[in-house]
């Protein structure tokens, strides 16, 4: 039992509250301070009996979220008030109506968007997905909902240490799946990077620590390098009378890790560990010229790589990011990325959306804001509320991370579409009718099919025909959620018509069989034909995919009870599986850590010792995935209610599948040496081996059965000692989605 010094705590709460006020002060108007005080007192009173998992007073959390809103996103009073009250409606007695009466409709609306939906969800739906959709619904009216939510999420991630492991897993997965991409889309780079770093910290702790300490170790040599690199540049900038600041910033741990993984190289070989940033202090009218002036100075001293010039000043990114990037060769033979931007651009890059709006007033420029366009898209997507929440989140997410492609209409208007967008997407972007009737396009005056992938600078003219109509294949040709949802709508419409026909046929058939038609019978027929929904069943009948004569089978089977598909809860899933459990395995599953039957997911092949979780599948019982499985974020964040806790109890003589990649210089006898170790020395069974020996390089993949991570580590060490072998790594076969 920890004793708490109540008096000391009270002082600390006041200290934190004062710090918040102090930082917000420069932006406060008229009654703002009073309003914030009122919100603080309401929150303090409402949460007074509550403590966080860490044991701290709960009020620290809303205070910290408000502080993030001010310091890191640059938000004002409404958001501060909303942040202070964000957990009040969900966690305490206070109702939304009271908030509205005390703080007005704007604050109430934001808090409503932040309050989770409670209640029962249909099978196949997900509470997280529903909550996310609800939050986005409010976004289209007030983007501050998302910004406060991101601040909330960031603080929860920063304080994740005191959470139990299964909660951690759920939170980090949602974060990497939705919130980090969302922060990216809103241009909040600092928050996005921190979320990703924290995700890595709790997923691959060792890797995270190793990279973090290597960054710290190399700090002084890096500073030395940057100083000498900048010397001639600064000299020249001073002579030109430019006002500027320079900074050398290491890349985020997550992005370094990504590079190491993608290129399969150690930390030491990642060449762009850091970027140099030159931030200019200049008038708005002079910005572009000044940035290019600095570019010219930099490239006078160092040779640029022409493939790596990025001009996001002439064409800002969709999320508002503006900057000029170049990569140049330093005197030590290392490539160095230099980012050139102004103070205004820098603030937008760091604080994203909020800063964007701050600067937008009074510029009165032709600045077409990509963000505004994006929020417009979200609004449109939300209006098609026919899709299931999960489908919606997937579509939405698909649109978050994409880079953009810039194309032009025949009249020369610029359209920004996600990277990979096709002529069909372009058509739907112009108008739903144009999309639905799209036959093909003329790109730069050449005829192309509807699935033509657009390239930067393309000028696109859409060709239509009144006879054209969307079909299933179109879903593969479109990448934007707008086009996809419009195509789905049309297909659904067509399906509905076929389903109506089908229903009539079924009714007629039943009448002939003298069976009265009702919903129960429809559902039993659905089960008999193994269709997901009754509509699917009607549709297939209507389309002639199910022969109406087959319905007779119903009569024969009527005496046999058809399996009823009912709504299931998490409980009943595990219960079902427990019943069939042969209980001889060593993986413990569920809250009670029971032995139940399970299968190992093929997408990540877990082995004893791996950090794992169980996933309740619809047809195949519990599947066990590694927490680092590429499918984990999607499963954990969209289907949280189907996750069951799993843990290895001990390591026994059971074999598991793992894949190894071996790279080395080829020599006669190498394969024999490798396979010898595997089969003879360690008594391991190989399932398959594939080897590529192009141009003297040995590149082999071995799939084998081993007993545990320890066993695998031993094997890797042995293999690495074989003459000619350079590297042995374990990898996941990600081709299969399990
Ligand atoms: Mn919260």
């Amino acid at each position: 039992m920890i004793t708490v010094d109540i008096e000391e705590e009270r002082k600390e709460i006041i200290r934190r509250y004062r710090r918040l006020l102090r930082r917000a002060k420069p932006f406060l108007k008229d009654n703002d301070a009073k309003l914030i005080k009122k919100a603080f007192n309401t929150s303090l009173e409402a949460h007074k009996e509550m403590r966080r998992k860490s044991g701290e007073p709960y009020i620290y959390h809303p205070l910290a979220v408000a502080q993030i809103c001010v310091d890191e996103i640059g938000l004002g009073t409404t958001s501060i008030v909303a942040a202070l009250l964000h957990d009040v409606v969900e966690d305490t007695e206070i109702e939304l109506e009271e908030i509205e009466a005390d703080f007005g409709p704007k604050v109430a609306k934001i808090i409503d968007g932040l309050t989770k939906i409670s209640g029962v969800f249909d099978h196949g739906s997900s509470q997280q997905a529903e909550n996310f959709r609800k939050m986005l619904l409010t976004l289209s009216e007030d983007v501050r909902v998302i910004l406060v939510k991101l601040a909330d999420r960031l603080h929860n991630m920063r304080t994740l240490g005191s959470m139990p492991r299964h909660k951690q897993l759920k939170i980090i997965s949602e974060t990497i799946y939705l919130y980090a991409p969302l922060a990216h889309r809103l241009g909040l780079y600092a928050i996005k990077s921190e979320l990703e770093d924290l995700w890595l910290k709790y997923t691959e702790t060792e890797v995270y620590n190793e990279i973090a300490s290597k960054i710290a170790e190399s700090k002084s040599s890096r500073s030395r390098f940057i100083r000498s690199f900048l010397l001639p540049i600064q000299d020249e900038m001073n002579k030109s009378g430019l006002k500027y600041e320079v900074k050398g910033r290491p890349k985020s741990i997550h992005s370094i890790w990504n590079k190491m993984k993608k290129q399969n190289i150690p930390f030491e070989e990642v060449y762009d560990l850091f970027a140099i940033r030159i931030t200019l202090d200049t008038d708005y009218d002079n910005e572009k010229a000044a940035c290019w002036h600095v570019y010219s100075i930099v490239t006078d001293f160092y040779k640029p790589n022409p493939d790596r010039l990025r001009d996001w000043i002439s064409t800002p990114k969709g999320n508002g990011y503006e900057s000029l990037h170049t990569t140049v060769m330093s005197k030590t033979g290392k490539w160095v990325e230099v980012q050139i931007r102004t103070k205004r651009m820098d603030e937008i890059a760091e604080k994203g959306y909020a800063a964007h709006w701050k600067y937008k007033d009074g510029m009165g420029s032709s600045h077409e804001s990509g963000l505004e366009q994006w929020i417009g898209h979200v609004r449109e997507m939300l209006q098609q509320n026919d899709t299931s929440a999960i489908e919606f989140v997937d579509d939405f997410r698909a649109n978050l991370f994409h880079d953009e492609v810039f194309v032009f209409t025949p009249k020369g208007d610029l359209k920004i579409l996600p990277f990979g967008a096709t002529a069909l997407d372009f058509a739907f972007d112009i108008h739903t009718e144009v999309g639905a009737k799209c036959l093909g396009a003329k790109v730069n005056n050449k005829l192309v099919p509807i699935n033509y992938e657009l390239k930067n600078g393309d000028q696109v003219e859409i060709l239509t025909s009144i006879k054209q109509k969307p079909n299933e294949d179109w879903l593969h040709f479109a990448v934007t959620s707008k086009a996809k949802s419009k195509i789905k709508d049309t297909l659904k419409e067509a399906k509905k018509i076929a389903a109506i026909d089908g229903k009539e046929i079924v009714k007629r058939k039943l009448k002939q069989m003298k069976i009265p038609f009702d919903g129960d019978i429809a559902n039993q027929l659905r089960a008999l034909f193994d269709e997901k929904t009754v509509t699917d069943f009607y549709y297939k009948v209507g389309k002639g995919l199910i022969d109406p004569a087959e319905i007779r089978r119903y009569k024969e089977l009527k005496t046999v009870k058809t399996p009823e598909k009912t709504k299931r809860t998490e409980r009943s899933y595990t219960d079902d599986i427990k019943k069939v459990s042969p209980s001889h395995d060593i993986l413990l599953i569920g809250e009670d850590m029971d032995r139940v039957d399970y299968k190992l997911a093929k997408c990540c092949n877990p082995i004893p010792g791996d950090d794992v979780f169980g996933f309740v599948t619809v047809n195949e019982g519990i599947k066990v995935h590694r927490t680092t499985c590429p499918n984990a974020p999607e499963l954990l964040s969209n289907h949280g209610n189907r996750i069951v806790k799993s843990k290895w109890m001990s390591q026994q003589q059971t074999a598991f599948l793992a894949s190894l990649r071996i790279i080395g210089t080829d020599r006669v006898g190498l394969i024999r040496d490798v396979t010898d170790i595997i089969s003879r020395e360690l008594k391991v069974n190989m399932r398959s081996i594939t080897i590529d020996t192009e141009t003297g390089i040995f590149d082999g993949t071995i799939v084998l059965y081993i007993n545990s991570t320890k066993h695998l580590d031993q094997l890797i060490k042995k293999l690495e000692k074989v003459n000619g072998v350079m590297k042995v790594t374990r990898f996941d076969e990600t081709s299969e989605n399990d």
Side-chain angles (χ1 to χ4, degrees), residues 275-289:
I276 288 177
R277 182 174 299 164
I278 302 173
T279 312
L280 292 161
D281 190 353
T282 177
D283 297 342
Y284 182 70
D285 293 332
N286 209 15
E287 281 189 325
K288 197 169 165 180

Side-chain angles (χ1 to χ4, degrees), residues 628-664:
T628 52
C629 171
N631 296 317
E634 200 263 328
L635 296 176
L636 288 162
S637 54
N638 272 349
H639 311 280
N641 55 333
R642 289 162 61 183
I643 301 298
V644 282
K645 201 152 86 177
S646 306
K647 205 177 160 185
W648 297 104
M649 188 185 69
S650 68
Q651 295 167 11
Q652 292 180 6
Q653 292 297 313
T654 329
F656 295 88
L657 215 51
S659 313
L660 290 181
R661 181 156 181 227
I662 303 180
I663 296 172

Side-chain angles (χ1 to χ4, degrees), residues 58 61 86-87 152 156:
Y58 195 85
H61 169 62
H86 81 271
D87 278 331
D152 179 33
N156 285 335

Side-chain angles (χ1 to χ4, degrees), residues 666-681:
D666 196 26
R667 64 172 172 82
V668 181
L670 180 65
I671 297 180
R672 203 199 54 224
D673 289 353
V674 166
T675 48
D676 259 12
I677 288 185
I678 293 173
S679 54
R680 209 174 305 153
E681 273 205 51

Side-chain angles (χ1 to χ4, degrees), residues 247-304:
K247 249 192 257 173
R249 298 169 55 100
K251 295 265 166 85
S252 79
I253 295 176
H254 181 264
S255 70
I256 292 172
W257 173 72
N258 251 344
K259 282 198 178 126
M260 289 166 59
K261 237 179 35 172
K262 227 187 248 160
Q263 300 168 23
N264 203 11
I265 49 172
F267 177 86
E268 288 72 22
E269 281 170 37
V270 179
Y271 78 86
D272 47 355
L273 283 172
F274 61 90
I276 288 177
R277 182 174 299 164
I278 302 173
T279 312
L280 292 161
D281 190 353
T282 177
D283 297 342
Y284 182 70
D285 293 332
N286 209 15
E287 281 189 325
K288 197 169 165 180
C291 289
W292 283 102
H293 184 185
V294 174
Y295 173 82
S296 139
I297 292 173
V298 172
T299 51
D300 275 348
F301 293 101
Y302 304 105
K303 203 141 200 66

Side-chain angles (χ1 to χ4, degrees), residues 161-230:
S162 32
M163 282 285 175
R165 183 64 181 157
H166 68 283
K167 283 243 173 87
Q168 283 182 350
L169 277 176
K170 181 177 167 279
I171 293 172
I172 57 173
S173 302
E174 281 171 22
T175 301
I176 204 69
Y177 190 67
L178 284 173
Y179 293 104
L182 196 57
H184 172 86
R185 199 62 189 77
L186 290 166
L188 294 151
Y189 279 91
I191 291 182
K192 174 215 166 204
S193 302
E194 191 176 343
L195 288 176
E196 287 175 339
D197 277 3
L198 286 164
W199 173 78
L200 188 63
K201 184 175 168 186
Y202 288 99
T203 327
E204 303 247 23
T205 311
E206 271 170 49
V207 178
Y208 175 89
N209 289 339
E210 195 185 314
I211 298 176
S213 71
K214 280 187 173 162
I215 291 177
E217 276 167 32
S218 58
K219 194 174 176 217
S220 67
S221 69
R222 190 166 57 238
S223 309
R224 252 195 325 277
F225 172 82
I226 291 170
R227 226 175 299 133
S228 77
F229 176 89
L230 280 171

